[in-house]
Amino acid sequence: MFADRSDAVCDDDPHRGYGVAVTPGCTGPCALVTGYGPGNRLLTWRDGGLRDVATPAVADAGRHAIGVVAADLDSDGREEFYVHNTDEYEGHTRDTDLLLDPVRVPPDDGSVRWRDLFGLGVNADRGNFRAGRSVAALDRYGTGRYGVFVASYGPASRFYELGDDGELSDMAGAVGLSVTAGGRSLLAGPLVTDRMDLFVGVERGPNRLFRNDGGHFTEVAGPAGVADPETDARGVTVADGDLAYGAWEGPNRLYRADGVGAAGTNGGSGADAARDAGTRTFTDVAPPDFAEPTRVRTLVSADFDNDGREELFVHAMGTENRLFRRDDGDWTRLDPGAAEEERGLGTGAAVADFDGDGALELLLVHGELAAQPLTLFSVPGAADNDWLRVRPTTQYGAPARGARVTLETDAWTRDRVVCAGSGYLCQMGPVAHFGLGDATPERVTVSWPDGRTATLDRPAVREEHELAHPMAPRF
């Protein structure tokens, strides 16, 4: 299916990389690829290729970066990058994290300089020295101001929120998000409510699923049916409505939502109790080809060929990558073509339309055991098919991570959630991308994490539509 376009990655020396997060740039998507020892890279499309434009502050060479996420923590309309550094497998680390805040450089031509908010005097004792893995953005009230959850491995997790003076506060215990486990992967979004909930994939123990009860969280993985304590979770995503996650040499899961009961009623246990408590329940419907154990690192779901059906890509380490497509309700295995990478030491992966042609590129990161180059793939001819992209924004004009976008066509209805952190160590671009195939779009509806909605009727095809939050100022 995929063709190799890695020659478009300029100056692509072998790299020990892990995570990748995509944020809007001045001229197109920017991808921060973490470096485990070597510097981080900041890739953007210029002069026909992906070029590294990282400044020394972004590169931060010498530390051990692994997970990364982008979000607007200070409600200024621009996303910060949160980079988790760890030089230990578990416990505590000598490296603290990096929170990169973009500051406009006059004249205002789009240029920025980056400052590390952990380096401010007010945060002198606020550094994170807990070894961990993934990070995710979480707007618990739907105000457009995000916090960052850090999945620690061993010590209790962190959930940082940023004050107006630049002070970082760990709110995990206060809001019900304290997790002491082998935290691996994260998925933030409307999973069991219409707000931003949080799934934590765990190694050596049960997963956690936190239901957002209006800014405070309740752990519901057991009654929801996704605790799965015997599986060592890795990458996680929502694939065509199913909660999908991969495991390390164990069975992979595809959880389909069963239903939700009326909150506040009593009785029952297990799934019945979950429904009675207002919690969505899930059933594993993974077909044998997907469930088959492998060495999963990251999962990515997207419509790569713009035919109106979503693919699910499984990025693995030291074995072949896999590709699946949902067709008529069933997931079937496909040939990934050049992206199979049988000898790739896969870590992170992300999707974005880097070159602006209307089709998605797949960027793969490697380097867990040895340095390997980045690779880039796309599907030949995908840009010839019709497509539609939706970019919801917050009250402040930043990407609305966690917003749900629903597209109704004359043939089908699909949902996408703007990525707030998924895959494993990674985050996708902040745009809901829909391939159309032969379908004609009729209506787009955006649901923000605060419950407000907006619609766009008869949206034009082959265009990216920005929908502002209903409470955003209008000039």
Side-chain angles (χ1 to χ4, degrees), residues 275-331:
R275 282 189 286 271
D276 288 342
T279 296
R280 181 173 286 117
T281 59
F282 297 84
T283 299
D284 183 18
V285 296
D289 276 353
F290 181 78
E292 180 185 354
T294 185
R295 297 176 175 179
V296 177
R297 275 298 186 251
T298 300
L299 297 185
V300 177
S301 56
D303 185 354
F304 291 104
D305 56 4
N306 282 341
D307 71 346
R309 297 172 295 175
E310 198 164 24
E311 287 82 43
L312 177 57
F313 182 81
V314 181
H315 195 203
M317 189 184 79
T319 187
E320 72 276 1
N321 298 326
R322 299 176 181 176
L323 184 67
F324 298 84
R325 175 188 288 144
R326 188 167 179 179
D327 195 6
D328 294 329
D330 296 320
W331 290 96

Side-chain angles (χ1 to χ4, degrees), residues 404-427:
R404 185 195 303 274
V405 181
T406 302
L407 174 63
E408 300 171 58
T409 76
D410 61 347
W412 44 256
T413 298
R414 303 267 195 272
D415 284 339
R416 301 280 190 271
V417 174
V418 179
C419 183
S422 75
Y424 173 52
L425 315 171
C426 299
Q427 184 187 50

Side-chain angles (χ1 to χ4, degrees), residues 193-266:
T193 73
D194 291 330
R195 308 180 185 95
M196 290 194 75
D197 309 304
L198 181 68
F199 175 86
V200 183
V202 174
E203 184 174 64
R204 304 176 189 169
N207 302 319
R208 311 296 202 273
L209 177 60
F210 291 94
R211 185 183 65 209
N212 186 342
D213 294 325
H216 192 276
F217 294 83
T218 302
E219 208 284 300
V220 297
V226 297
D228 199 17
E230 303 303 320
T231 297
D232 292 332
R234 291 298 191 271
V236 59
T237 188
V238 171
D240 202 16
D242 294 341
L243 176 63
Y245 71 84
W248 180 254
E249 299 182 335
N252 307 303
R253 307 297 190 191
L254 266 170
Y255 283 110
R256 188 157 298 164
D258 295 325
V260 182
T265 60
N266 297 313

Side-chain angles (χ1 to χ4, degrees), residues 139 142 146 189-190 193-196 390 392-393 400-408 415-418 432 444-456 467-470:
D139 180 1
Y146 292 82
T193 73
D194 291 330
R195 308 180 185 95
M196 290 194 75
V390 182
T393 56
R401 306 277 184 181
R404 185 195 303 274
V405 181
T406 302
L407 174 63
E408 300 171 58
D415 284 339
R416 301 280 190 271
V417 174
V418 179
V444 167
T445 302
V446 175
S447 301
W448 280 267
D450 65 352
R452 289 181 170 85
T453 63
T455 61
L456 176 64
L467 270 70
H469 188 279

Side-chain angles (χ1 to χ4, degrees), residues 354-379:
F354 289 109
D355 60 6
D357 68 351
L360 295 171
E361 285 80 45
L362 174 65
L363 178 66
L364 300 185
V365 186
H366 316 85
E368 171 124 349
L369 299 177
Q372 289 184 336
L374 305 174
T375 50
L376 187 72
F377 302 93
S378 64
V379 177

